[in-house]
Amino acid sequence: MRHKTPLCAVLALTLPALAVHKKNAGPEDVELKFKLPAPAPLTPEQALGSFQLEKGFKIELVASEPMIETPVAISFDDQGRLYVVEMRGYMHDISGEGEDKPTGRISLLEDTDGDGKMDKASVFLDGLVMPRSVMAVNGGALVAEPPHLYFCKDTDGDGKADKKEIVTTDYGTKGGQPEHMPNTPVWTLDNSIWSAGYGSRFKLRGGAWLKDVGLSRGQWGLCQDDAGRLYYNYNSDMLRADLLPTEAFARNPLLRNATSINSKLAADQTLYPSHPTPGVNRGYDTKSLRSDGTLTKPTATCGALIYRGDAFPTEFKGNAFVPEPSANLVKRFTMSEKGGALKATNTSKKNEFLTSIDERFRPVQAMDGPDGALYIVDMYRGIIQHESFLTHYLIANIKDRKLEQPVNQGRIWRIVHEGKLKPQATKLHTTTEERIKSLRHPSGWVRDTAQRLLVESGDAAAAPALKQLLTDGEPVARLHALWTLDGLGSASHEVLKLALTDSDARVRAATLRISPRDFIPPEMSGETDLLVLANLAIKLTTLNLPDADAQLAKLLATHGTSPLVVEAALTGLRGKEASFAKLLATTNGPGTGKALGALAQLIAQAGKADPFNEMLTLASTASTGRTDILKGLSFTESKSKTPKLLWLESEPAALKTFKRDKTLSLIEKRLAWPGKPGAPPPPKIAPLNETQLAAFERGKLTYNTLCAACHQPHGYGLDGLAPPLVDSEWVLGKPEVLARIVMHGLAGPVKVNGRNYNLAMPPLPQLTDENIADVLTFIRREWDHTGSPVSSDFVAKVRAADPSRVMMWTESELKKLATEKKKG
C-alpha cells in the first residue's frame, strides 16, 4: 500500500554537520521540515512487502546479502551466469572512509536449479579498489577498476579469474570521484564496446582489443535499442540518446551542441514516490520536495534500460525503464519516433512503474535478462550521495534517521508479468548454426549475445547462412545478420548492394554506415526516410569526391530543413565549410537556406578570418539563403564571453550591400581591419626566429606523440577527456600558468572558453624544461594563435619557483597566482 501518513510535524533543528561539498554545501542552519522516524533496515523478505508495481507485474528476489554486498552493476554471460560488481568500499560513513581499501570484488552467480533465484556464488575477482563495471565478453569479463579496464577470464573452470590483462589505463582516475568516471561498457549492435562517461570505444578483433575515438556522454549507465542507438542519462536528466552514429560526430569538434547527439528525450520527468523522500541533497530547496515530502524531479538518475525482452506484453517492448534511487523508484517511459527524432513520454499518472516505501531501496541499474525479464540492481543502503557532494541538509537527515548503517547489504530483483508463464533463461548454443538461428529470437538480449559470440568466433563459414538470413529473416533479424557479417569481415559489395534495397529503413541506414571507403552508394533520389538520408550524408562526406559533394549538395537542398540531415552532413565538412557553401548556393531547394545557415554558424564558431570573409561575400551574392548565412555568422556560443576578434586586411566590400540591423551589427563587432573606427591596434605578431621555429617543430612532435590523443590533432579536445586548446584563455594567457599546468597537472573543475570541464590534466614529470618550452611554443602559435614563444630558461625559472610542489593545481590557485603576478 502507498504511504498516506500526513506530514503535519515540522521540526527545525540545527545539527552540527560538516558538509564537504566543495562549492555548494547549502545552508549551514538545517531545518528538518519532515521529521520522520529512523527507518529500520528490511530483510529481503520484508522488502518484498514494501513494493508497489504497475498492475499485472510482480517482483521476485534473485540474490541478496550475504551472497552479495553493495551491488552496482551486473552482466549475464551466454550461459545465464551473472557477474556482479560489489563496490563494498563505498561510503561507510559521511566521510567516505575506506574507499582506498581493496575490498571490492566481482562475484559470479549461478541458478543451478532453474527457479530464477541464484543459489551458487564464487568470487570471480577480488582485492579491487572501488570497482564500478563489468561486461561478459569472450568467455570472461571486462572489469573496470579505475584507472584500469581489465579483461579477466577463468581458464580452469573454478569460477575464479586466473587471467587478468590490461585493456586500457585511462578508464577513470584512481581515487577519482565515483559519480563522474567511465562505466557500463556495452557490446552494441555495431560490434563496438561503448561506455558511459568515456570518450573512446573498443573493438575485439582476433583476440586483440582495438581502441579508437568516439564521444563521451552520459553519467552512469548505457544501453541500446533494437536499431543500435545509444541511450544514457545524467543525474537530473532521465533519458538522452544519440540519434546518429556517435563516431561520426568525433570528426567535427564544433558540433558539440548538435541535437542529433546527447538528445534530450523526456520533457516531463515528474516523479511520484510512494512515501516521503526528504533525504535528498537539495531537500532544503522548496522546489525539490512537495508539501508531503516527496521528491518532484530526478536528482540521482542512473542505469536506464530500453526494454527489449520477451517476457512482458508487446506494448512494453521498447519502453524505457529508468531507476531513480533517491526517490526509491523505477520510472517507465513509452518511446515514439518521428522524422528520426525520439520522444520519451512519462507514463506516470501519480503512480510509477515500481516504487518502494523502504528508503534503503536504491535501484541503480535496470537490465534485460536471458529469460526476458527485467532485472533491477538494488544497492540497498541509506547513503548513496558521495561525500564530495554532501550538503549540510543531507548530512543532517542521514544523522537524524541513522542512515549510515548498514553498508553490507544489497539485492538483485527481477520483474515478471503475471500473465506470462514463468520465464526461463536462454542458454546460447555452441554451434554456429544454432547461434545464427538465435538472431531471430524475440529477445534482444539473446540476439545481441548470439551476434557477439559469432563475431568473437571469427567463423567465416557463417557468412552463407547470414546472407540467407539477410534475405528471408524478419527486419530485426536482417539487421543483426548485416552487422554480424560486418563483424566477420564478410560484408562484401554484393551484400551491401542487396541490403541497400531492403524494405526496412534501419537496414538501409546500417548499410551506409558500415560501407567501406571504396563503396560509392547510388544517388538514392527516391529515398524519403530521414534516418537513411542522414547516414547517406555522413557517407558522402567521407568520400572527398566532386561527384559526392554534388550529390550531398542536392541532398541538402532537398532535405536541409531536417536538423538530422544537416548535422549529419556537417560531421564531415570541417575546414571546407566555405568552399562547400559556394557549391550548395548554386543548388536551390527548400533546404538550401537552412543548410547554408548551419555552415555559416560553424564558421563563426571556428573563428577564422578568411572563411568568415568568404561566407560574408557569398551572402552578398547568393540568391538563396542570405538571411540564413548572416544569422549563422552572427552566432556566439557564450553571451558572457566576447567572441574572438577577426582581423581582415581591409573593410569587406560585402558589408555595404546589407541592410543595417542587429544581425549585421553583431557581425561587424567580430571584424576589424586597419583604420576601422574604434578598433584596437592590430596585433603585432613577431615572426619566430630560427631557434624558435626549431622549438615549434620539436613541440609539434611532442604534442602529436603525447598530447594529441586527448586534446586531438585539431586542438578542440575530446568530450569527457580533454578541453579545447584552440583560442583557450589558458593557452594564450600567461605562459607561467601554462607551464605550471604541464609540470604539476590541473585538477578540475575548470572553465575554458566559457564552458565548465570537470576533468583532470595529469602532471607530465617526464618532460624536461626544453620539452615543455617546445610544446608550449607549439600550442601558442598553432591554429592561428599569436602567443609569444616560450624558452627553456623561462620554464626553468617557473620550476624553481615551486621546487617542492607535488599536488595538482586548481583553477582558483592558478587564477590567484596570475592576479598576484599582475599586481606585482
Side-chain angles (χ1 to χ4, degrees), residues 133-181:
S133 296
V134 67
M135 188 197 88
V137 65
N138 203 30
L142 288 176
V143 174
E145 181 198 26
H148 297 106
L149 182 66
Y150 297 105
F151 173 65
C152 305
K153 191 171 184 176
D154 167 22
T155 63
D156 57 12
D158 64 355
K160 188 176 181 63
D162 47 64
K163 174 182 179 181
K164 183 180 180 184
E165 62 184 39
I166 295 174
V167 176
T168 191
T169 60
D170 64 351
Y171 208 77
T173 305
K174 185 175 183 179
Q177 218 296 317
E179 297 181 28
H180 296 281
M181 287 194 291

Side-chain angles (χ1 to χ4, degrees), residues 36-257:
L36 302 175
L42 302 182
T43 66
E45 292 72 26
Q46 291 170 330
L48 281 168
S50 74
F51 294 117
Q52 179 164 324
L53 277 148
E54 196 167 318
K55 185 178 180 180
F57 292 91
K58 64 179 180 179
I59 190 166
E60 300 173 343
L61 183 67
V62 175
S64 65
E65 70 280 354
M67 181 180 282
I68 55 171
E69 300 175 15
T70 318
V72 297
I74 60 174
S75 180
F76 287 97
D77 75 1
D78 56 278
Q79 296 305 300
R81 300 183 304 171
L82 184 62
Y83 291 99
V84 182
V85 181
E86 298 177 65
M87 193 186 279
R88 300 198 296 169
Y90 184 77
M91 291 300 290
H92 286 197
D93 53 38
I94 60 172
S95 299
E97 292 295 326
E99 289 192 350
D100 58 342
K101 301 296 190 293
T103 57
R105 69 187 181 194
I106 310 296
S107 288
L108 183 58
L109 312 185
E110 295 183 60
D111 171 15
T112 62
D113 57 10
D115 66 350
K117 189 170 183 178
M118 299 297 169
D119 49 56
K120 179 182 177 182
S122 56
V123 177
F124 179 73
L125 188 67
D126 59 4
L128 301 174
V129 178
M130 298 288 282
R132 53 197 292 106
S133 296
V134 67
M135 188 197 88
V137 65
N138 203 30
L142 288 176
V143 174
E145 181 198 26
H148 297 106
L149 182 66
Y150 297 105
F151 173 65
C152 305
K153 191 171 184 176
D154 167 22
T155 63
D156 57 12
D158 64 355
K160 188 176 181 63
D162 47 64
K163 174 182 179 181
K164 183 180 180 184
E165 62 184 39
I166 295 174
V167 176
T168 191
T169 60
D170 64 351
Y171 208 77
T173 305
K174 185 175 183 179
Q177 218 296 317
E179 297 181 28
H180 296 281
M181 287 194 291
N183 60 86
T184 321
V186 177
W187 184 295
T188 52
L189 191 63
D190 64 351
N191 301 308
S192 300
I193 297 171
W194 294 96
S195 302
Y198 189 59
S200 301
R201 63 173 174 170
F202 300 96
K203 290 188 176 183
L204 179 61
R205 295 294 182 271
W209 297 99
L210 309 178
K211 179 180 178 183
D212 64 10
V213 299
L215 291 179
S216 176
R217 61 272 176 276
Q219 188 168 343
W220 188 283
L222 186 74
C223 65
Q224 66 175 340
D225 64 10
D226 280 348
R229 289 174 292 206
L230 302 181
Y231 293 75
Y232 40 92
N233 43 244
Y234 300 89
N235 57 8
S236 57
D237 194 336
M238 302 197 85
L239 199 62
R240 295 201 175 207
D242 293 342
L243 308 181
L244 291 175
T246 307
E247 68 274 12
F249 286 83
R251 298 189 296 161
N252 194 334
L254 296 178
L255 286 174
R256 293 300 183 258
N257 296 319

Side-chain angles (χ1 to χ4, degrees), residues 525-543:
S525 57
E527 182 62 65
T528 59
D529 186 272
L530 292 176
L531 181 63
V532 178
L533 292 169
N535 278 273
L536 176 60
I538 293 171
K539 171 64 179 178
L540 292 172
T541 62
T542 67
L543 297 176

Side-chain angles (χ1 to χ4, degrees), residues 329-393:
L329 61 80
V330 176
K331 176 175 282 295
R332 179 170 73 90
F333 293 96
T334 56
M335 304 300 300
S336 57
E337 181 176 351
K338 183 178 180 180
L342 295 168
K343 179 182 178 181
T345 301
N346 190 348
T347 64
S348 304
K349 304 298 182 184
K350 307 299 183 183
N351 298 323
E352 299 285 359
F353 175 75
L354 169 65
T355 62
S356 173
I357 58 173
D358 181 3
E359 191 165 357
R360 287 181 172 83
F361 171 60
R362 304 297 192 181
V364 294
Q365 186 183 33
M367 178 75 73
D368 279 325
D371 54 1
L374 171 62
Y375 284 74
I376 302 294
V377 178
D378 175 8
M379 205 173 176
Y380 203 81
R381 55 182 16 253
I383 303 178
I384 55 169
Q385 182 72 67
H386 192 253
E387 55 94 7
S388 301
F389 296 112
L390 284 171
T391 61
H392 294 287
Y393 171 86

